[in-house]
Amino acid sequence: MTIATVGMISSYRGLESRGDWLWQQTPNPFGVWGNIQMQTLAAKPDFLVTYQFDFPQASPQISWLDRFRKRQQKPVVNVESLLRGVNKERIIYLLREPPLDEIVEINNRNYQQAQKYCGYVSGPDDFAPNPDYMPAIWYHSNSFQDLNEMPCPEKVSPCSWITSGINRTANHRQRLDFLQSLQSSDIKFDLYGRNLPEWAEKSGELGNKWYGMAPYYYNLAIENYADNNWYVSEKLWDSLLAWCLPIYYGGPAADKLLPPGSFLRLPSLDEKGIAYIKEVTATPDAWYAAKDAIAEARQIILHKLNLLNWLSNFVAQHS
């Protein structure tokens, strides 16, 4: 079988320079999955993924005064030079960010630009040329083989939440408000994350999300966006792969991708939601009832929803 190399460019900071991107999502060495090999930095890949890539805006006109003052201008990015000679029909654009009000204009501009260079353009919203769920990636450092074959770890604590202090959109601020209300309640849960507010009672940051999920029966998986039929993120995948029963706040996409009973629905980010969390996390009964469904969901995430599997199927159809 011929192995096709798949390169990648991204606007996510630090991601594009990672030669081992997605290698932890396969049991095979060096990013091989079926008929593909992920080689982010390949000089001449057979296929190219533009992964949450922000296409540069047209360079603004520079006034004579700016030239006189020699103000530093951002260099104009030559998109063609980034595409490494890959034919348009073999270039894939995958947008990951949800259509939040604050960035939907940027998302739409990226879709428009992507269609000039990419044969397939997709994202988790109705505005995308090909609306679709995001193929799964996850943020555990464990190997694929470990995640695939390990027994359920020992559960010793009721509930955790891994989140950040990002507050740049109304949805982020709503989540932080809910966090503050939850910590003001008498619900026992452990909080982990980066850049959290000073008032947050946190247990620190994590180098591997596994350690903030695996010992817990329940995990709060609260999306930044819950208002369409497409968006579901790694917050849910990470929780399930750590054998947690997610208490999930998000849109209906998860119901179409995962087996019934593999996660719980948080009804709202308010007092009703707090009451629900309190009731569920008071005992591990719901987790025990869901254990078989969690096991099934984990296999779906690892094998079927896996971004590498998605790319392998795409390559098979376009080779």
Side-chain angles (χ1 to χ4, degrees), residues 11 30 41 68 91 95 167 174 218 242 254 267 312:
S11 293
F30 308 120
L41 306 178
F68 177 78
I91 301 177
L95 187 144
N167 64 356
Q174 180 189 31
Y218 305 99
S312 176

Side-chain angles (χ1 to χ4, degrees), residues 17 32 48 121 125 127 136 166 183 193 195 226 257 260 266 269 275 299:
S17 62
V32 172
L48 184 69
V121 180
D125 63 70
F127 302 103
I166 294 173
Q183 288 202 320
N195 303 315
L257 299 174
L266 182 64
L269 299 181
Q299 291 301 303

Side-chain angles (χ1 to χ4, degrees), residues 42 48 59 63 107 113 139 173 189 207 210 239 286:
L48 184 69
S59 179
S63 72
N107 288 1
Q113 292 296 310
Y139 288 93
R173 292 188 288 275
F189 76 101
W210 177 262
S239 183

Side-chain angles (χ1 to χ4, degrees), residues 12 96-103 124 134 161-176 194 209 220-228 231-236 248-251 269:
Y12 282 141
R96 283 188 54 83
E97 297 297 330
L100 297 165
D101 291 343
E102 293 85 352
I103 63 169
M134 294 184 297
W161 187 3
I162 302 174
T163 189
S164 75
I166 294 173
N167 64 356
R168 59 177 173 261
T169 72
N171 289 43
H172 289 116
R173 292 188 288 275
Q174 180 189 31
R175 187 172 60 188
L176 286 172
R194 294 176 295 177
K209 291 177 75 173
L220 301 181
I222 299 180
E223 300 284 17
N224 299 329
Y225 184 82
D227 297 325
N228 72 13
Y231 186 73
V232 56
S233 79
E234 76 284 345
K235 293 178 179 64
L236 190 54
Y248 181 67
Y249 183 79
L269 299 181

Side-chain angles (χ1 to χ4, degrees), residues 62-114:
I62 303 173
S63 72
W64 69 269
L65 184 59
D66 285 339
R67 292 193 184 98
F68 177 78
R69 292 174 175 170
K70 297 183 179 179
R71 288 185 178 175
Q72 185 176 3
Q73 300 293 326
K74 291 183 179 180
V76 178
V77 176
N78 184 333
V79 175
E80 294 283 359
S81 69
L82 300 177
L83 303 182
R84 308 176 207 175
V86 179
N87 292 333
K88 179 178 179 179
E89 64 271 16
R90 292 187 166 202
I91 301 177
I92 304 157
Y93 184 81
L94 296 179
L95 187 144
R96 283 188 54 83
E97 297 297 330
L100 297 165
D101 291 343
E102 293 85 352
I103 63 169
V104 69
E105 184 178 341
I106 297 173
N107 288 1
N108 283 331
R109 180 176 60 81
N110 279 325
Y111 287 140
Q112 292 168 10
Q113 292 296 310

